[in-house]
Amino acid sequence: MSIGQRLCIALVLCLSSVVSTASHAQSFDLNNDDPFAQQQFLPVEEAFRFDFRQQNDQLQLSFTIADGYYLYQHRFQFDAEVPLAAPPTLPAGEAHYDEFFGESVVYRDNVTLELQLADTAATTFTLHYQGCADAGLCYPPSTIDVPLAAVTGAGPATTATTPTPAIDVASVAENSQQYSATNFFSELADEPLLWVLGIFFVAGIGLAFTPCVLPMYPILSTVIMGSQQRLSTLRAFTLSFAYVQGMAITYSLLGIVVALAGMQYQAMLQHPAVLIVLALLFVFLGLSMLGVYNLQLPVKWQNRLNEMSQRQRGGAHRSVFIIGVLSGLIASPCTTAPLSGALLFIAQSGDVAVGAGVLYALSLGMGVPLIVFGTTGGKLLPKAGSWMNVVKRVFGVILFAVALIFVERLLPLHIADWLWVGFIVLAALYLISATLRDIQGKRAMLISALWLTLAGSLLYAWWPQSQHHALDFTQVDSAEAITTQLEQAAPGQLVMLDLYADWCVACKEFERYTFANAQVQAALADTLVLQADVTDANAVNNAILQQHDVLGLPTILFFRDGQEIRAARVSGFMNAETFTQHLEELAANQ
C-alpha cells in the first residue's frame, strides 16, 4: 500500500499517514569478478566493532558502529547462565520505523552496555545482537562470547533477569528517552507538514457537518454572544474564534497526554494481540459512526461540565474561551469515535509535537462552521438535512479501514491486498445504498456517482499489486537440497536462489514490491527459482550461509550449470525496474 493511498485514508479520517518503503537501486557489472563489489557492505565485525572491559562485577560491552549502519536495541540478548546483580538497563537510542516491522529503537555511531554481575564462577558471557545497513542489508543474528573473570562479593542474582534469557522489549522501550516520532508519524519528515495539517483541517470541517454537530451551532452561537443581540462583524468573529481556540487547546492537550502515555508502551503496541485489540476498537468506533450506538461522556460528567460552562458570561472573550475549553471535553457522539481513533494512533506514535499539531488542526476545522455562523448569522452555512448522515457514514467506513491497516500487518501480503479490494467494493456498495436510501433525486445520483468514482480509483491503484501472485519458489531447506536442485536443473538453465529471513526487512520488500511485479515474473519465466528460509540461527542455516559466503540478507544468487555467476549476485534491496534490468543483462550475457 503506497504512502499516498495510506495518507489519504488515514489522514482524511483524522488519523495519520502510513509510510511507504524507500527504494534502493543498485547497479552491477557482469564483468566484475568480485561478488561484493556492487554493494560494498562491510563484514559484520567491521560494521560493528566490539570491545569489552570487566572490573570485578562491572562488565562494560561497547560497539563502535560504522556510518550508515545501526544496531537494534531489542536484539541485545544475554544468556541466562551468567547471573546479573541488577536489572539491565540500556541507553537511549534513536527511533526507527519500517513498514513491515513497525517501530523500534536503534543505535548509531556507538553504544555501551553496562551490566552488574552477580557472584559467578562462569568463564564466558554470551551476547547476542543484530544490525543492518541503511542501504538495505540486514546481518544475521550474531553472537559474541566474552571471557569473564570469576566474580565474588557482588551479592546474589536479581530475580528480574535470571529467569529470562533476554531483556524484555517493553522494558527496553521504557529505558529509551528518545523513543519518539515513530510508527505512523515517523515519515512525516518526508511529507510537507503544512500539507498534512491541511488534510486534518479539512477532516475537521467534515466532522463539523455531521448530524449531531451542525444543528448545535445556533445554540452555541447564542451561548457565545451572551445577552447582546447585535454585534459588529469583527467582534462576532473574534468571539467565535476565541471559542474555537479553547476547544482546539483542549484537543491538543489530549493529544499531548496520550502521546506521552503511549511513549512508554510502543513496543507492546506492536504485539499481534494488541494490534488485534486495536483493530476491534476501531471496528467498535466505526459502528458508532454508523448509528449502531452512541458514544459520549457519562450523563453525570456532561451535566457537571455544562454547569461549569453556564457559569461563564457570554460575550466576553475570556469567558467564551473557557466555554470552548469545556465544550471540547463534552464530545458529541458524532466526534467521539474519530477523536478516539486519532488518540489511539497518537498513542502508538508517541510523537508529542505532531500529535498536538494534527489535533489542533482538526479542531480548527471543526470550528470553521461556528466562525462562519457567528460572523454571518448562519447565512453561508448549508441547512441541516439527511446529507449529514452521509458524512457521518463516511467517517465510519474510514474507521473500518484503519482497523484493516492494523490487521494487514499480521497477514500474508497477497491476502492483505485482496482484503483491501474486498473492503473497497463493500464500502462503495454500502455508501451507495445508504445514500440512495437517505437522499432522493439528482443529489443522490451525484453522490452515488462520486462513491463509484472514488472506489474505482482506489481499485485501479490497488489492482496492480493484488492481481499478481507471489513468485512460485521451490523451497530448499539445506545446503544439500540446494546442490540437488542445481544438479537437476536443465543444461544452461538459469537458477536463482533467494535467501530469506523473517527478520530481514528488505527481504519482505523484495517479496512485496519486486517478486510480485509482472515484469520480474515474466523475466524469470524460464528460470528455476529457489528460496531458502534461514530465519532460525541453527547449524543447517548457518551451513547454507557459509557455503555461499553470504554477508547478510537479502542476498540473491544466480547459477548456471551448477556454478554461481559471482558477478550477478544481488545483496540489499533492488526495486522491480532495476531487478528486471539485472535479469535482462544476465540473459544477454549468457
Side-chain angles (χ1 to χ4, degrees), residues 10 37-38 79 98 101 118 133 146 156 207 209 241 306-307 359 377 409 431 482 490 505-506 520 567 580:
Q38 56 174 307
D79 280 356
D98 66 71
F101 296 150
V146 181
L207 279 177
F209 288 102
F241 190 75
N306 283 327
E307 290 174 2
L359 280 185
R409 305 188 207 176
L431 290 174
I482 295 172
V505 176
V520 171
T580 301

PDB file of all heavy atoms in Angstrom, residues 10 37-38 79 98 101 118 133 146 156 207 209 241 306-307 359 377 409 431 482 490 505-506 520 567 580:
ATOM      1  N   ALA A  10      -5.872   7.442   6.063  1.00  0.00           N
ATOM      2  CA  ALA A  10      -5.684   7.665   7.487  1.00  0.00           C
ATOM      3  C   ALA A  10      -5.824   9.119   7.875  1.00  0.00           C
ATOM      4  O   ALA A  10      -6.401   9.427   8.906  1.00  0.00           O
ATOM      5  CB  ALA A  10      -4.320   7.145   7.918  1.00  0.00           C
ATOM      6  N   ALA A  37      31.551  -6.409  -4.842  1.00  0.00           N
ATOM      7  CA  ALA A  37      31.913  -5.081  -5.318  1.00  0.00           C
ATOM      8  C   ALA A  37      30.691  -4.203  -5.531  1.00  0.00           C
ATOM      9  O   ALA A  37      30.728  -3.012  -5.319  1.00  0.00           O
ATOM     10  CB  ALA A  37      32.705  -5.191  -6.622  1.00  0.00           C
ATOM     11  N   GLN A  38      29.565  -4.804  -5.931  1.00  0.00           N
ATOM     12  CA  GLN A  38      28.410  -3.997  -6.274  1.00  0.00           C
ATOM     13  C   GLN A  38      27.757  -3.353  -5.064  1.00  0.00           C
ATOM     14  O   GLN A  38      27.228  -2.265  -5.141  1.00  0.00           O
ATOM     15  CB  GLN A  38      27.383  -4.840  -7.017  1.00  0.00           C
ATOM     16  CG  GLN A  38      26.934  -6.077  -6.249  1.00  0.00           C
ATOM     17  CD  GLN A  38      25.814  -6.794  -6.959  1.00  0.00           C
ATOM     18  OE1 GLN A  38      24.818  -6.186  -7.283  1.00  0.00           O
ATOM     19  NE2 GLN A  38      25.989  -8.071  -7.236  1.00  0.00           N
ATOM     20  N   ASP A  79      22.627 -14.446  27.666  1.00  0.00           N
ATOM     21  CA  ASP A  79      22.346 -15.798  28.121  1.00  0.00           C
ATOM     22  C   ASP A  79      22.139 -15.799  29.634  1.00  0.00           C
ATOM     23  O   ASP A  79      22.838 -15.109  30.383  1.00  0.00           O
ATOM     24  CB  ASP A  79      23.509 -16.736  27.765  1.00  0.00           C
ATOM     25  CG  ASP A  79      23.429 -17.160  26.310  1.00  0.00           C
ATOM     26  OD1 ASP A  79      22.454 -16.781  25.644  1.00  0.00           O
ATOM     27  OD2 ASP A  79      24.348 -17.849  25.843  1.00  0.00           O
ATOM     28  N   ASP A  98       9.984   0.980  10.081  1.00  0.00           N
ATOM     29  CA  ASP A  98       9.856   0.450   8.729  1.00  0.00           C
ATOM     30  C   ASP A  98       8.451  -0.119   8.567  1.00  0.00           C
ATOM     31  O   ASP A  98       7.761  -0.403   9.537  1.00  0.00           O
ATOM     32  CB  ASP A  98      10.918  -0.613   8.412  1.00  0.00           C
ATOM     33  CG  ASP A  98      10.756  -1.860   9.243  1.00  0.00           C
ATOM     34  OD1 ASP A  98       9.786  -2.605   9.014  1.00  0.00           O
ATOM     35  OD2 ASP A  98      11.595  -2.098  10.130  1.00  0.00           O
ATOM     36  N   PHE A 101       7.852  -4.043  10.066  1.00  0.00           N
ATOM     37  CA  PHE A 101       8.070  -4.392  11.457  1.00  0.00           C
ATOM     38  C   PHE A 101       7.618  -3.303  12.425  1.00  0.00           C
ATOM     39  O   PHE A 101       7.699  -3.478  13.626  1.00  0.00           O
ATOM     40  CB  PHE A 101       9.550  -4.696  11.709  1.00  0.00           C
ATOM     41  CG  PHE A 101      10.043  -5.903  10.955  1.00  0.00           C
ATOM     42  CD1 PHE A 101      11.360  -5.988  10.549  1.00  0.00           C
ATOM     43  CD2 PHE A 101       9.182  -6.935  10.635  1.00  0.00           C
ATOM     44  CE1 PHE A 101      11.822  -7.102   9.845  1.00  0.00           C
ATOM     45  CE2 PHE A 101       9.623  -8.042   9.932  1.00  0.00           C
ATOM     46  CZ  PHE A 101      10.945  -8.124   9.543  1.00  0.00           C
ATOM     47  N   ALA A 118      26.377 -10.734  39.167  1.00  0.00           N
ATOM     48  CA  ALA A 118      26.248 -11.330  40.492  1.00  0.00           C
ATOM     49  C   ALA A 118      27.421 -12.287  40.719  1.00  0.00           C
ATOM     50  O   ALA A 118      28.257 -12.490  39.826  1.00  0.00           O
ATOM     51  CB  ALA A 118      24.918 -12.071  40.594  1.00  0.00           C
ATOM     52  N   ALA A 133      22.261  -2.357   7.606  1.00  0.00           N
ATOM     53  CA  ALA A 133      22.804  -1.209   6.883  1.00  0.00           C
ATOM     54  C   ALA A 133      21.651  -0.406   6.310  1.00  0.00           C
ATOM     55  O   ALA A 133      20.638  -0.963   5.892  1.00  0.00           O
ATOM     56  CB  ALA A 133      23.741  -1.670   5.766  1.00  0.00           C
ATOM     57  N   VAL A 146      32.192 -13.462  25.475  1.00  0.00           N
ATOM     58  CA  VAL A 146      33.091 -12.565  26.207  1.00  0.00           C
ATOM     59  C   VAL A 146      33.728 -13.341  27.354  1.00  0.00           C
ATOM     60  O   VAL A 146      33.011 -13.865  28.218  1.00  0.00           O
ATOM     61  CB  VAL A 146      32.316 -11.352  26.756  1.00  0.00           C
ATOM     62  CG1 VAL A 146      33.258 -10.407  27.500  1.00  0.00           C
ATOM     63  CG2 VAL A 146      31.600 -10.623  25.625  1.00  0.00           C
ATOM     64  N   PRO A 156      23.845 -11.666  45.565  1.00  0.00           N
ATOM     65  CA  PRO A 156      23.035 -12.646  44.828  1.00  0.00           C
ATOM     66  C   PRO A 156      22.495 -12.068  43.529  1.00  0.00           C
ATOM     67  O   PRO A 156      22.462 -10.859  43.313  1.00  0.00           O
ATOM     68  CB  PRO A 156      21.904 -12.961  45.818  1.00  0.00           C
ATOM     69  CG  PRO A 156      21.762 -11.688  46.616  1.00  0.00           C
ATOM     70  CD  PRO A 156      23.158 -11.137  46.759  1.00  0.00           C
ATOM     71  N   LEU A 207     -16.091  16.674   9.946  1.00  0.00           N
ATOM     72  CA  LEU A 207     -16.739  16.276  11.201  1.00  0.00           C
ATOM     73  C   LEU A 207     -17.785  17.285  11.637  1.00  0.00           C
ATOM     74  O   LEU A 207     -18.795  16.934  12.251  1.00  0.00           O
ATOM     75  CB  LEU A 207     -15.680  16.123  12.302  1.00  0.00           C
ATOM     76  CG  LEU A 207     -14.888  14.821  12.345  1.00  0.00           C
ATOM     77  CD1 LEU A 207     -13.854  14.874  13.446  1.00  0.00           C
ATOM     78  CD2 LEU A 207     -15.815  13.636  12.554  1.00  0.00           C
ATOM     79  N   PHE A 209     -19.869  18.773   9.922  1.00  0.00           N
ATOM     80  CA  PHE A 209     -21.113  18.635   9.175  1.00  0.00           C
ATOM     81  C   PHE A 209     -21.758  17.273   9.415  1.00  0.00           C
ATOM     82  O   PHE A 209     -22.386  16.705   8.531  1.00  0.00           O
ATOM     83  CB  PHE A 209     -20.866  18.851   7.676  1.00  0.00           C
ATOM     84  CG  PHE A 209     -20.596  20.284   7.332  1.00  0.00           C
ATOM     85  CD1 PHE A 209     -19.311  20.728   7.102  1.00  0.00           C
ATOM     86  CD2 PHE A 209     -21.633  21.192   7.259  1.00  0.00           C
ATOM     87  CE1 PHE A 209     -19.065  22.053   6.794  1.00  0.00           C
ATOM     88  CE2 PHE A 209     -21.402  22.527   6.942  1.00  0.00           C
ATOM     89  CZ  PHE A 209     -20.107  22.956   6.711  1.00  0.00           C
ATOM     90  N   PHE A 241     -13.870  32.962  17.304  1.00  0.00           N
ATOM     91  CA  PHE A 241     -12.509  32.438  17.206  1.00  0.00           C
ATOM     92  C   PHE A 241     -11.964  32.075  18.587  1.00  0.00           C
ATOM     93  O   PHE A 241     -11.252  31.082  18.742  1.00  0.00           O
ATOM     94  CB  PHE A 241     -11.601  33.464  16.529  1.00  0.00           C
ATOM     95  CG  PHE A 241     -10.248  32.932  16.182  1.00  0.00           C
ATOM     96  CD1 PHE A 241     -10.071  32.071  15.105  1.00  0.00           C
ATOM     97  CD2 PHE A 241      -9.129  33.276  16.944  1.00  0.00           C
ATOM     98  CE1 PHE A 241      -8.824  31.582  14.781  1.00  0.00           C
ATOM     99  CE2 PHE A 241      -7.880  32.780  16.629  1.00  0.00           C
ATOM    100  CZ  PHE A 241      -7.729  31.931  15.539  1.00  0.00           C
ATOM    101  N   ASN A 306     -21.495  21.054  31.849  1.00  0.00           N
ATOM    102  CA  ASN A 306     -22.460  22.045  31.376  1.00  0.00           C
ATOM    103  C   ASN A 306     -22.715  23.121  32.426  1.00  0.00           C
ATOM    104  O   ASN A 306     -22.844  24.307  32.113  1.00  0.00           O
ATOM    105  CB  ASN A 306     -23.782  21.365  31.000  1.00  0.00           C
ATOM    106  CG  ASN A 306     -23.696  20.665  29.657  1.00  0.00           C
ATOM    107  OD1 ASN A 306     -22.991  21.114  28.759  1.00  0.00           O
ATOM    108  ND2 ASN A 306     -24.420  19.552  29.516  1.00  0.00           N
ATOM    109  N   GLU A 307     -22.786  22.710  33.700  1.00  0.00           N
ATOM    110  CA  GLU A 307     -22.977  23.681  34.772  1.00  0.00           C
ATOM    111  C   GLU A 307     -21.800  24.652  34.839  1.00  0.00           C
ATOM    112  O   GLU A 307     -21.987  25.860  35.008  1.00  0.00           O
ATOM    113  CB  GLU A 307     -23.134  22.961  36.107  1.00  0.00           C
ATOM    114  CG  GLU A 307     -24.445  22.185  36.243  1.00  0.00           C
ATOM    115  CD  GLU A 307     -24.488  21.365  37.521  1.00  0.00           C
ATOM    116  OE1 GLU A 307     -23.504  21.437  38.304  1.00  0.00           O
ATOM    117  OE2 GLU A 307     -25.479  20.643  37.732  1.00  0.00           O
ATOM    118  N   LEU A 359      -4.190  17.380  16.008  1.00  0.00           N
ATOM    119  CA  LEU A 359      -5.455  17.559  16.721  1.00  0.00           C
ATOM    120  C   LEU A 359      -5.848  19.029  16.778  1.00  0.00           C
ATOM    121  O   LEU A 359      -7.035  19.371  16.751  1.00  0.00           O
ATOM    122  CB  LEU A 359      -5.359  16.979  18.125  1.00  0.00           C
ATOM    123  CG  LEU A 359      -5.527  15.466  18.233  1.00  0.00           C
ATOM    124  CD1 LEU A 359      -5.523  15.031  19.683  1.00  0.00           C
ATOM    125  CD2 LEU A 359      -6.811  15.012  17.561  1.00  0.00           C
ATOM    126  N   GLY A 377     -24.270  35.151  10.727  1.00  0.00           N
ATOM    127  CA  GLY A 377     -25.621  34.831  11.149  1.00  0.00           C
ATOM    128  C   GLY A 377     -26.146  33.548  10.554  1.00  0.00           C
ATOM    129  O   GLY A 377     -27.352  33.301  10.521  1.00  0.00           O
ATOM    130  N   ARG A 409      -0.949  -6.164   8.864  1.00  0.00           N
ATOM    131  CA  ARG A 409       0.436  -6.472   9.224  1.00  0.00           C
ATOM    132  C   ARG A 409       0.613  -7.937   9.621  1.00  0.00           C
ATOM    133  O   ARG A 409       1.722  -8.470   9.575  1.00  0.00           O
ATOM    134  CB  ARG A 409       0.885  -5.602  10.397  1.00  0.00           C
ATOM    135  CG  ARG A 409       0.731  -4.116  10.185  1.00  0.00           C
ATOM    136  CD  ARG A 409       1.380  -3.401  11.337  1.00  0.00           C
ATOM    137  NE  ARG A 409       0.776  -2.100  11.565  1.00  0.00           N
ATOM    138  CZ  ARG A 409       1.109  -1.299  12.562  1.00  0.00           C
ATOM    139  NH1 ARG A 409       2.034  -1.677  13.427  1.00  0.00           N
ATOM    140  NH2 ARG A 409       0.528  -0.131  12.720  1.00  0.00           N
ATOM    141  N   LEU A 431     -22.061   2.631   0.941  1.00  0.00           N
ATOM    142  CA  LEU A 431     -22.279   4.072   0.861  1.00  0.00           C
ATOM    143  C   LEU A 431     -23.302   4.429  -0.220  1.00  0.00           C
ATOM    144  O   LEU A 431     -24.115   5.336  -0.041  1.00  0.00           O
ATOM    145  CB  LEU A 431     -20.945   4.778   0.600  1.00  0.00           C
ATOM    146  CG  LEU A 431     -19.952   4.765   1.766  1.00  0.00           C
ATOM    147  CD1 LEU A 431     -18.613   5.353   1.342  1.00  0.00           C
ATOM    148  CD2 LEU A 431     -20.511   5.538   2.958  1.00  0.00           C
ATOM    149  N   ILE A 482      19.956 -27.649  -1.881  1.00  0.00           N
ATOM    150  CA  ILE A 482      20.318 -26.670  -2.911  1.00  0.00           C
ATOM    151  C   ILE A 482      21.171 -27.336  -3.989  1.00  0.00           C
ATOM    152  O   ILE A 482      20.937 -27.159  -5.195  1.00  0.00           O
ATOM    153  CB  ILE A 482      21.066 -25.481  -2.279  1.00  0.00           C
ATOM    154  CG1 ILE A 482      20.145 -24.725  -1.328  1.00  0.00           C
ATOM    155  CG2 ILE A 482      21.611 -24.548  -3.361  1.00  0.00           C
ATOM    156  CD1 ILE A 482      20.843 -23.655  -0.527  1.00  0.00           C
ATOM    157  N   ALA A 490      18.020 -28.018 -15.885  1.00  0.00           N
ATOM    158  CA  ALA A 490      18.350 -28.313 -17.281  1.00  0.00           C
ATOM    159  C   ALA A 490      19.672 -27.660 -17.660  1.00  0.00           C
ATOM    160  O   ALA A 490      20.043 -26.621 -17.101  1.00  0.00           O
ATOM    161  CB  ALA A 490      17.232 -27.810 -18.186  1.00  0.00           C
ATOM    162  N   VAL A 505      14.142  -6.964   6.807  1.00  0.00           N
ATOM    163  CA  VAL A 505      13.153  -6.017   6.284  1.00  0.00           C
ATOM    164  C   VAL A 505      13.176  -6.007   4.763  1.00  0.00           C
ATOM    165  O   VAL A 505      12.135  -6.067   4.107  1.00  0.00           O
ATOM    166  CB  VAL A 505      13.438  -4.604   6.825  1.00  0.00           C
ATOM    167  CG1 VAL A 505      12.463  -3.594   6.214  1.00  0.00           C
ATOM    168  CG2 VAL A 505      13.337  -4.583   8.339  1.00  0.00           C
ATOM    169  N   ALA A 506      14.369  -5.907   4.185  1.00  0.00           N
ATOM    170  CA  ALA A 506      14.464  -5.801   2.727  1.00  0.00           C
ATOM    171  C   ALA A 506      14.020  -7.085   2.030  1.00  0.00           C
ATOM    172  O   ALA A 506      13.626  -7.051   0.862  1.00  0.00           O
ATOM    173  CB  ALA A 506      15.894  -5.447   2.327  1.00  0.00           C
ATOM    174  N   VAL A 520       9.014  -8.638 -13.584  1.00  0.00           N
ATOM    175  CA  VAL A 520      10.014  -9.506 -12.958  1.00  0.00           C
ATOM    176  C   VAL A 520       9.623 -10.965 -13.158  1.00  0.00           C
ATOM    177  O   VAL A 520      10.464 -11.808 -13.515  1.00  0.00           O
ATOM    178  CB  VAL A 520      10.151  -9.173 -11.464  1.00  0.00           C
ATOM    179  CG1 VAL A 520      11.024 -10.217 -10.760  1.00  0.00           C
ATOM    180  CG2 VAL A 520      10.750  -7.791 -11.276  1.00  0.00           C
ATOM    181  N   ALA A 567      29.444 -12.469 -10.303  1.00  0.00           N
ATOM    182  CA  ALA A 567      29.248 -11.036 -10.508  1.00  0.00           C
ATOM    183  C   ALA A 567      27.777 -10.656 -10.561  1.00  0.00           C
ATOM    184  O   ALA A 567      27.447  -9.472 -10.507  1.00  0.00           O
ATOM    185  CB  ALA A 567      29.930 -10.591 -11.797  1.00  0.00           C
ATOM    186  N   THR A 580      14.586  -6.141 -12.950  1.00  0.00           N
ATOM    187  CA  THR A 580      14.273  -6.605 -14.305  1.00  0.00           C
ATOM    188  C   THR A 580      15.435  -6.327 -15.248  1.00  0.00           C
ATOM    189  O   THR A 580      15.811  -7.186 -16.070  1.00  0.00           O
ATOM    190  CB  THR A 580      13.006  -5.906 -14.829  1.00  0.00           C
ATOM    191  OG1 THR A 580      11.903  -6.197 -13.950  1.00  0.00           O
ATOM    192  CG2 THR A 580      12.657  -6.387 -16.230  1.00  0.00           C
TER     193      THR A 580
END
